[in-house]
Amino acid sequence: MAKKKLVVLTGAGISAESGLKTFRDSDGLWEGYDVNEVATPRAWRKNPQLVLDFYNLRRKNVADARPNAAHIGLAELEKKFDVHIVTQNIDDLHERAGSSKVLHLHGEIFKMRSDSNEELVQEIRGDIMLGDVAADGGQFRPHIVWFEEPVPKIEQAIHVVRRAEIFVVVGTSLVVYPAAGLVNYAPAEIPKFIIDKHIPYTSSIYNLTVIEKPATEGVKALIEMLRSEF
Ligand code: APR
């Protein structure tokens, strides 16, 4: 029998228990930094060194972090379901936990690309420095989707969410579009779950089960609830 397609939209909250800061919680990243100074094309033009410093530090933090029970639980669900992760996160904790289908909507911290050609992408484990240039001579920048930039993978994500048979949201404030709009593409009748320490506001979603818990506990509860679907 074909496995049911289980689509999971994740945000910073799933990696919080791995020690990575979220953006909008108290003590979140955007409390310590001005978004406009580090995560916009304008910031990159105005002060590229500051932008590189910000993301070089993020890369170190991610390298030091480990997947937690929530990432691992979602990876283990592949035994029973055709799991597709759509993540807003730039970390690689889903991959390291063993998830095989991960779509990164907002880019990846361990990749960099030419400033003048977004197709020229390369792996980066250490720091990106000013003067590091791609084959086309363009300065390397983080392979991250900044505010005010288009989200190239959104169509692919919509395609995946439309075909979901079970839809799960974990650890996102659902305020950043177009990612937040993905919840509206899940077929109305399918079972839906939302896991978050503080459930964010959503307009009414049919057939929704709310699990107000930290991600590690919430994913464990979800797995219990899904047993009836096995
Ligand atoms: N377990 C579950 N949820 C948690 C936990 C936890 N341990 N800790 C925090 N959360 C929840 C918060 O309650 C909040 O709903 O995670 C969510 C984090 O929200 P944001 O900080 O806004 O992160 P996210 O939704 O991923 O942000 C979206 O905004 O800054 C941009 O590009 C960046 O991808 C990011 C996008």
Side-chain angles (χ1 to χ4, degrees), residues 10-18 20-26 28-30 35 39 55 68 70 87-90 105-107 144-147 170-177 179-180 195-201 211-218:
T10 65
I14 195 166
S15 297
E17 290 163 271
S18 292
L20 298 177
K21 283 187 174 186
T22 64
F23 295 95
R24 295 172 185 80
D25 287 299
S26 59
L29 274 172
W30 297 150
V35 176
Y55 286 102
N68 64 48
T87 187
Q88 297 165 85
N89 299 344
I90 59 175
L105 276 176
H106 294 161
I144 305 289
V145 175
W146 287 325
F147 288 94
V170 188
T172 170
S173 58
L174 292 174
V175 297
V176 172
Y177 282 79
I195 301 169
D196 202 292
K197 215 163 76 170
H198 304 290
I199 298 294
Y201 170 78
I211 305 174
E212 189 153 35
K213 290 180 190 298
T216 52
E217 285 175 42

Side-chain angles (χ1 to χ4, degrees), residues 163-197:
R163 280 156 191 77
E165 292 173 286
I166 301 170
F167 183 62
V168 182
V169 176
V170 188
T172 170
S173 58
L174 292 174
V175 297
V176 172
Y177 282 79
L182 284 172
V183 296
N184 302 317
Y185 289 94
E189 73 285 0
I190 67 167
K192 301 176 196 76
F193 300 84
I194 185 162
I195 301 169
D196 202 292
K197 215 163 76 170

Side-chain angles (χ1 to χ4, degrees), residues 4-8 158-169 182-194 205-209 226 229:
K4 274 194 181 171
K5 194 192 261 288
L6 190 156
V7 179
V8 192
I158 290 172
H159 183 86
V160 171
V161 173
R162 278 202 164 124
R163 280 156 191 77
E165 292 173 286
I166 301 170
F167 183 62
V168 182
V169 176
L182 284 172
V183 296
N184 302 317
Y185 289 94
E189 73 285 0
I190 67 167
K192 301 176 196 76
F193 300 84
I194 185 162
I205 297 177
Y206 182 68
N207 210 357
L208 178 70
T209 304
L226 289 176
E229 300 269 344

Side-chain angles (χ1 to χ4, degrees), residues 43-68:
W44 177 240
R45 285 193 299 273
K46 187 177 143 204
N47 192 347
Q49 187 63 60
L50 184 68
V51 175
L52 290 180
D53 289 347
F54 176 74
Y55 286 102
N56 286 340
L57 183 55
R58 304 275 78 71
R59 197 172 302 105
K60 278 200 188 76
N61 294 157
V62 173
D64 290 343
R66 299 284 168 267
N68 64 48

